[in-house]
């Protein structure tokens, strides 16, 4: 199975700045910092190009994961609504009740 099927193109794209992208971009940057720390180089100043690369790769992986998540949720919603449409007897709406019908009569205990 492909990462995203062709029917996923019909969905609107997620925003470029989203929670998943931000977290994975930060995780990529932290991975570059940890790599510097483990190889006993200055953590923030060594390999700035690698830090930018890791953060960018993490950001774009997060974007495509967000896109896949939206596709999976849209597919589940479509299947659920299709089931509800084909089986209306399982999803009957209850008649409206007034608040007085829902509450029991108040009888004080003395």
């Amino acid at each position: 199975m492909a990462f995203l099927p062709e029917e996923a193109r019909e969905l609107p794209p997620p925003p470029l700045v989203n929670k998943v992208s931000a977290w994975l971009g930060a995780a990529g940057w932290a991975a570059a910092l940890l790599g510097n720390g483990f190889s006993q180089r200055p953590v923030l100043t060594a390999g700035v190009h690698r830090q930018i690369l890791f953060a960018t790769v993490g950001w774009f992986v997060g974007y495509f994961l967000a896109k896949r998540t939206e596709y999976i949720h849209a597919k589940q919603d479509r299947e659920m609504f299709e089931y509800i449409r084909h089986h209306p007897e399982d999803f009957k709406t209850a008649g409206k009740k007034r608040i007085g019908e829902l509450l029991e009569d108040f009888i004080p205990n003395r």
Side-chain angles (χ1 to χ4, degrees):
M1 182 179 134
F3 184 72
L4 276 175
E6 288 297 317
E7 62 184 5
R9 291 184 180 206
E10 298 171 6
L11 294 174
L16 284 177
V17 179
N18 59 49
K19 188 170 35 172
V20 180
S21 294
W23 274 104
L24 287 180
W29 183 59
L33 294 181
L34 284 172
N36 284 344
F38 287 139
S39 52
Q40 296 181 352
R41 287 182 267 173
V43 176
L44 288 174
T45 57
V48 175
H49 62 286
R50 205 171 62 249
Q51 293 176 21
I52 294 170
L53 175 71
F54 282 23
T56 305
V57 168
W59 191 275
F60 283 108
V61 167
Y63 175 78
F64 285 107
L65 282 178
K67 197 171 187 177
R68 180 167 171 79
T69 303
E70 285 187 7
Y71 165 70
I72 289 173
H73 289 171
K75 189 172 111 179
Q76 288 175 347
D77 286 347
R78 182 185 65 206
E79 291 169 357
M80 180 181 63
F81 288 130
E82 189 70 18
Y83 182 82
I84 290 172
R85 191 170 64 83
H86 286 304
H87 300 91
E89 65 276 359
D90 294 337
F91 303 96
K92 293 180 181 174
T93 57
K96 287 189 174 184
K97 292 186 179 181
R98 298 182 61 93
I99 192 72
E101 297 171 356
L102 295 175
L103 300 175
E104 296 177 5
D105 292 333
F106 177 70
I107 302 172
N109 293 331
R110 294 187 185 181

